[in-house]
Amino acid sequence: MTDLVPLPVLARLLPMHLLIDPEGHIVSTGPTLRKLIGEARHVDEVLALRRIAAQGAMAPQLAQIARSGERVYLRLIGTAISALRGEAEMLRCGSVLMNLGFGPDLIPAIRDHALTDGDFSASDLAIEMLYLHEANRALIEAFSLHYQILDDSHQRAEADSLTDPLTGLLNRRGLERAVEDAAMQGAAVLAIDLDHFKAVNDSLGHAAGDFVLAHVAHELRAELRQSDLIARFGGDEFVIVLPAPPPPPLLTELGARLIARLSAPFAYESTELRIGASIGAALPGFGGLGESAPGQVMLGGAGKTPPGLAPLEIAVFPSARAAEPIAAAPFDLPAMLEAADRALYEAKSVGRGVFRLARAGRH
């Protein structure tokens, strides 16, 4: 008996109660609190005061709190449950009766000690609070997932609007966005037009044409750096932007490698295909094409031209020496594209498999 209430009744009504005698021995605990404190027989073994700098035995301090009518704030020693709180009452016999609750540590207490609805009194709203917590977490997770799906869809739609669906390269809008985002100060631009593409498309059909375009995109990626921008503007027209513009001789070498790579035969189903490419390139600094007569660079090295390929023709610039640096200037993509297109027109007027180099910036 605790005063007039039998201990079994107290345990049923208050499953988180703790009754200690004046020396701190545990006289009675509710079944739920017993799950937390195990076989402890003395309050000092398992509980400590939280909100005051307590020293010495717990029993006198708990008695003082009970006499003052203040709330009691405890922590379980050696567990993750750091917040128990409740009321304390001083009984006539000198014992202290406390009815405790979990406070913010309700969730870890339920998880770590496998507590259920039956471990709480009928009037305790702990389980209802747990349900609300779980419902709130589920709602947050659902909103988070929904937002992630919307964000992924938006990003996919944005990416689709900036890329060519056939090749995966940038489209014109994507190239403009990439140049703008990179805040380029100077770059070389190459305009590429495929040779013999129309013949393949007309004779073998659009599927073969699509295969050729995807093949060209693969070859361009393989030849260029990851930092270089590659775009397909439509049809068989490709554009390359080199963020660090090389001097004319190195750009010429790159043009030769690209034409050689795109001119190599490759298989489509059981048919061997051979296309080619003409390239017009533009560097910042000068306008127009070179005034001197075009020179020749033989594809394949050692002055030899592979069968069926024309020699690579370049415009020689007397003022553009190999060591001459390319001056950094705000990058004007439309102007550079216009200059590269003029160079491409000149290349195609000479023949197939031709590289022409122009300087943009002065007309």
Side-chain angles (χ1 to χ4, degrees):
M1 297 279 292
T2 168
D3 286 359
L4 299 178
V5 181
L7 291 180
V9 175
L10 189 66
R12 181 170 59 84
L13 294 178
L14 303 176
M16 282 288 290
H17 84 268
L18 175 64
L19 177 64
I20 62 173
D21 66 15
E23 286 74 38
H25 297 100
I26 298 175
V27 178
S28 173
T29 65
T32 303
L33 183 61
R34 181 55 72 179
K35 288 185 177 182
L36 275 60
I37 66 174
E39 298 299 322
R41 291 291 178 245
H42 197 282
V43 68
D44 289 343
E45 298 175 22
V46 288
L47 293 174
L49 291 172
R50 258 195 321 128
R51 292 199 170 184
I52 59 176
Q55 294 181 352
M58 284 281 291
Q61 299 177 74
L62 291 172
Q64 181 180 351
I65 294 173
R67 284 190 292 267
S68 69
E70 297 177 357
R71 286 190 175 184
V72 59
Y73 296 91
L74 303 173
R75 61 180 176 85
L76 275 175
I77 298 173
T79 74
I81 301 173
S82 60
L84 289 175
R85 61 186 181 182
E87 306 286 347
E89 289 292 335
M90 196 75 185
L91 304 182
R92 288 195 300 267
C93 61
S95 298
V96 176
L97 175 63
M98 292 169 282
N99 188 32
L100 302 174
F102 290 106
D105 283 342
L106 172 63
I107 306 302
I110 292 176
R111 180 190 63 232
D112 297 343
H113 297 276
L115 302 181
T116 66
D117 183 57
D119 291 307
F120 298 89
S121 68
S123 60
D124 196 332
L125 297 180
I127 293 298
E128 283 75 5
M129 293 299 295
L130 175 63
Y131 291 156
L132 287 175
H133 170 80
E134 293 297 330
N136 182 62
R137 186 174 66 176
L139 188 60
I140 291 175
E141 290 177 353
F143 273 120
S144 178
L145 178 61
H146 182 66
Y147 174 80
Q148 187 62 50
I149 292 173
L150 288 178
D151 187 58
D152 291 345
S153 299
H154 173 75
Q155 291 187 25
R156 284 195 299 269
E158 180 72 9
D160 290 344
S161 72
L162 301 176
T163 55
D164 171 47
L166 176 62
T167 63
L169 301 177
L170 297 171
N171 56 22
R172 181 185 291 271
R173 181 169 176 263
L175 182 65
E176 292 171 350
R177 172 73 65 83
V179 167
E180 179 181 349
D181 291 345
M184 294 180 183
Q185 291 299 305
V189 173
L190 286 74
I192 303 175
D193 193 69
L194 301 182
D195 300 329
H196 310 299
F197 173 75
K198 187 175 185 301
V200 172
N201 206 48
D202 291 345
S203 61
L204 298 179
H206 292 300
D210 290 347
F211 180 86
V212 169
L213 295 173
H215 168 78
V216 170
H218 176 270
E219 295 301 307
L220 293 178
R221 287 193 186 100
E223 184 65 43
L224 297 169
R225 303 166 300 184
Q226 190 172 1
S227 59
D228 297 331
L229 304 177
I230 315 172
R232 177 183 172 227
F233 276 14
D236 60 346
E237 181 183 359
F238 294 82
V239 171
I240 298 169
V241 175
L242 307 177
L250 294 182
L251 187 58
T252 298
E253 292 176 11
L254 174 62
R257 294 199 308 271
L258 290 174
I259 291 177
R261 192 169 193 124
L262 297 179
S263 300
F266 59 97
Y268 169 68
E269 296 180 348
S270 59
T271 303
E272 182 181 90
L273 300 181
R274 178 188 283 266
I275 59 170
S278 299
I279 301 178
L283 282 169
F286 296 90
L289 296 171
E291 296 176 356
S292 59
Q296 289 187 342
V297 174
M298 300 296 184
L299 296 175
K304 297 179 180 179
T305 303
L309 293 182
L312 174 70
E313 298 200 6
I314 63 170
V316 179
F317 295 92
S319 59
R321 300 179 178 86
E324 180 183 354
I326 303 300
F331 184 64
D332 186 346
L333 180 61
M336 293 293 289
L337 287 173
E338 182 182 353
D341 283 340
R342 292 199 309 271
L344 176 61
Y345 177 80
E346 290 289 333
K348 293 180 73 69
S349 68
V350 173
R352 295 186 175 94
V354 176
F355 175 89
R356 281 278 185 161
L357 175 61
R359 291 272 195 159
R362 188 180 70 191
H363 299 279

